Amino acid sequence: MTEREQPVFMALGEEHLKETLEIYNYYVRNTTVSFHTEELSLEEMRQSALSGDPRFAAYAIMQGGAMAGYVLIAKHKNKQAYDTSGEISIYLKPDFSGQGIGGKALAFIEAQAAKQGFHTLVATVCTDNEPSRKLFARRGYEQSALFREIGRKFGRWLDIASFQKIIG
């Protein structure tokens, strides 16, 4: 990736929702990356990506004028003591995977989280998703939990691992 091909991050808006939905639903239909077994509607994606709370924000990842994916910080749990923790997710269009964009998106979202006063970030990953597991490990996240056979998709039991990084 050359200097001029670096991804650009912009606040995710209504104009990105349809493409964001297409990206996410690809993973629902074809992978164990998402534990949804049914595709989301546009309204469900709107509620997920456009929370209205500036601390829990989503960003479009733009590469060469095209949307390559999105990254977001969501509430880790819906209880006040967790307010300084965020759960992060990165979803890329398959054509943009393996180009280093995920690492740049992770660095970006960590910087945004630090500006918002987050103390710790968590990422929950299906253990089948080796590229994401490696990405988080390279960026200093430690596996802090493993839940065996916690989900079922495509006729298989699936495990998830939680990765955590203290940033502040």
Side-chain angles (χ1 to χ4, degrees):
M1 187 179 322
T2 64
E3 195 60 40
R4 62 180 159 63
E5 295 173 337
Q6 294 297 312
V8 174
F9 302 92
M10 60 178 51
L12 195 97
E14 190 71 34
E15 68 276 17
H16 304 111
L17 270 185
K18 186 174 182 226
E19 205 162 1
T20 301
L21 178 66
E22 290 170 7
I23 293 167
Y24 187 76
N25 280 340
Y26 166 84
Y27 288 99
V28 172
R29 286 188 310 273
N30 299 294
T31 75
T32 58
V33 168
S34 165
F35 271 34
H36 278 109
T37 58
E38 297 177 14
E39 292 185 18
L40 269 60
S41 68
L42 190 60
E43 184 54 35
E44 288 169 320
M45 179 54 70
R46 183 177 288 111
Q47 291 173 11
S48 175
L50 303 177
S51 73
D53 184 331
R55 293 187 69 233
F56 301 103
Y59 301 88
I61 305 168
M62 306 302 291
Q63 174 95 22
M67 188 170 168
Y70 67 99
V71 58
L72 62 86
I73 305 173
K75 286 188 174 195
H76 175 62
K77 300 276 187 185
N78 198 22
K79 296 176 182 152
Q80 296 86 359
Y82 291 110
D83 282 351
T84 58
S85 300
E87 183 146 2
I88 56 174
S89 297
I90 303 167
Y91 290 94
L92 298 176
K93 288 182 178 174
D95 296 351
F96 288 93
S97 293
Q99 299 179 26
I101 296 171
K104 290 175 178 30
L106 193 48
F108 170 81
I109 206 69
E110 288 173 359
Q112 294 301 111
K115 287 179 196 171
Q116 294 292 337
F118 285 94
H119 177 68
T120 189
L121 296 176
V122 175
T124 302
V125 178
C126 180
T127 58
D128 283 359
N129 188 349
E130 192 63 27
S132 287
R133 294 175 72 188
K134 286 180 178 178
L135 170 65
F136 288 110
R138 276 194 312 271
R139 290 282 311 172
Y141 287 73
E142 295 180 17
Q143 185 175 317
S144 54
L146 176 66
F147 297 95
R148 297 197 182 279
E149 297 185 6
I150 197 157
R152 189 162 176 81
K153 189 171 181 182
F154 304 133
R156 298 186 311 127
W157 289 108
L158 301 169
D159 302 342
I160 60 168
S162 292
F163 292 84
Q164 178 184 10
K165 183 176 184 179
I166 296 174
I167 63 167

